[in-house]
Amino acid sequence: MSFKVVIDQEGCTQCGLCYSDECPEVFVEGPDGTSEIASKYQEGSPDNGNVPDDLKECVQKAVDVCPVSVISISS
Ligand code: SF4
């Protein structure tokens, strides 16, 4: 099973916590420092992903740590 992850990239402050610290398996640094979904999990665009359930804990940590709350999860 998998779940959906969306990054509101316009709100991302490029702090790097999601891709450098909490969940580099799923989040990567884009060209200008904005967070993107790793290419293997992307669905159509860099701000949209479909991620296997075994990475949910890691993504949830990124959701919790993001200082501007721009990462969201849905099933
Ligand atoms: S933690 Fe949030 S603000 Fe920081 S890089 Fe990731 S998405 Fe952007």
Side-chain angles (χ1 to χ4, degrees), residues 7 13 30 43 51 57 59 66-68:
I7 308 166
T13 61
E43 270 212 327
V51 178
E57 195 174 327
V59 173
C66 176
V68 286

Side-chain angles (χ1 to χ4, degrees), residues 7 12-19 33 35 66-68 70-71:
I7 308 166
C12 174
T13 61
Q14 297 102 27
C15 74
L17 286 172
C18 60
Y19 54 71
S35 180
C66 176
V68 286
V70 295
I71 306 169

Side-chain angles (χ1 to χ4, degrees), residues 18-58:
C18 60
Y19 54 71
S20 296
D21 294 338
E22 297 301 337
C23 195
E25 296 92 335
V26 174
F27 300 94
V28 297
E29 181 176 4
D32 66 351
T34 298
S35 180
E36 297 184 352
I37 306 291
S39 56
K40 67 195 249 193
Y41 301 127
Q42 277 184 25
E43 270 212 327
S45 60
D47 60 343
N48 254 286
N50 197 28
V51 178
D53 277 347
D54 61 348
L55 289 169
K56 198 160 198 172
E57 195 174 327
C58 158

